[in-house]
Amino acid sequence: MPQNEKKIFKQKFKFLDKYLDLYKKDYLSEFKLAKDFVFERLNRRKECTFDYPPYVYYKEAIDKDRNPDNLFDLWPDKTPFVMCFYFPFCTNKCSYCTFTNLKKNIVSEFSDYLKYYKKELLMYKDLIKRNKISHIYIGGGTPTLMTEEQLEDLLKFIKKHFLPYLLKPLDEIEFTCEASPPTLTDKKIKILKKYGVNTITLGVQTLDPKVLKTIGRYQTKEQVINVLPKIIKLFKVNVDIIAGLPASNLQIFAQDLNTIVKLKPQHLGVYLLTLYDHSKLGQSDYYVPRKDYLQYYDLAYKTLSKQGYIHSTFEEYSLDHKYRLMYLEDFLENNLHLTTGLGDSGFTGTHWYNNTDDMGKYKNYIKNGLLPIDKKYKMTIADLQVKFIIYGLRKLNLNKKEYLKMFNEPIEKRYSLEINALTDLGFLKHEGNKIDLTYEGKRDFELIMQFFMRL
């Protein structure tokens, strides 16, 4: 990757400087008008992102970093982390998706991957013994695409090698598995329950058949309505829904929400469609205008609030605080997550790293006793500060006291201009040591992020 790519990425956001200049000159009315233009420019360019650092910051890892023995130097001693298990297969790749997944449904290929994957997992065992696991997350891809035998075999392996090293007893941690409605059979539900899974994230996105066909997703409304009541009785259930999909509109989105809410899942993630260049949809001319984004957000908030749901992050809702997603809260709090499998990424506290998304390379690394890490990025102090701010706002609690403790300087030293401007715009509010998003800030979080990410 070219050395100047990070610089080029940052230069894209230089146009934000002139709006901060307007603020410095007290042209607040002009500054407020500018936000529409800024959002439209970011959205049309597919530059909005909720993660930090952006993927373009990554660079090639050097060979010695692939040696498992070097892991102890990257992770802080005795600091627990979320452990993520990644299964990279799907029946089809949705048009908006940016995750590594292979469009295959061949049982023998699953078995071959899992053979190598178990070997990768065991390379982390000494690190896990030392640091301990705070929560477990099995994602993808579609983990429930595995056969019942393969799923049970993987869960047995996790139970044997990793559950002994939990930070807390199993019933006090969150053990999550992602699932898709058509692949979650009754027997798989029993298997998940048997091995201690207590949370299921169900990828629904929409119930409308025309929208499902447009985005290339193979499921039906009936499958969702059939499986949800079964799992809600046994697990904490999170349902993911996406607003702004092609062929959708406010009426379809409202119907989706109302149908799901009647079934009372304990948690919902309602995500406004974010476009990236490395997705099929991101390479098209499609985009969602800001006014439509805001309407979708308002509709979701109004619908879910009436049904007793409260914000757990700016885009996620739960029926009660006890139903919040603990792994996500932990991720936003200390950000440490050990990620395993083809093409996924993790964070050690100082480095973001990304496993190779090439199956051939992945297998070769494992054969040679090396970790399949292909890219990494060492965070600078400024990077860590921006990450702290963005993730703090995402979880609706940017704590100035914690910032001071972590960076040995007040947050206002470097970011007073941005914080003051966003406060005067009505996006941020202050309460003691806490900076939080206002309702307007939650609606426009994409815009808020860019004011910090450009630095």
Side-chain angles (χ1 to χ4, degrees), residues 430-451:
H430 303 251
E431 184 179 333
N433 284 312
K434 176 182 175 181
I435 302 176
D436 194 359
L437 297 172
T438 63
Y439 181 71
E440 291 299 318
K442 293 171 186 174
R443 297 166 88 221
D444 255 332
F445 190 67
E446 298 95 336
L447 177 59
I448 290 172
M449 279 197 52
Q450 311 311 321
F451 278 87

Side-chain angles (χ1 to χ4, degrees), residues 10 18 33 50 74 91 131 153 166 183-185 193 238-239 258 266 282 291 296 332 355 359 370 378 396 409 442 454:
K10 288 188 174 185
K18 74 177 181 180
L33 291 172
F50 296 153
L74 291 179
T91 52
N131 285 43
D153 183 61
L166 299 178
T183 63
L184 196 53
T185 63
K193 190 68 179 176
N238 168 61
V239 173
N258 288 325
Q266 298 92 329
K291 64 180 180 61
Y296 280 120
L332 294 176
N355 280 359
M359 185 65 85
L370 298 174
K378 185 175 181 180
L396 310 180
E409 65 180 37
K442 293 171 186 174
R454 72 186 231 297

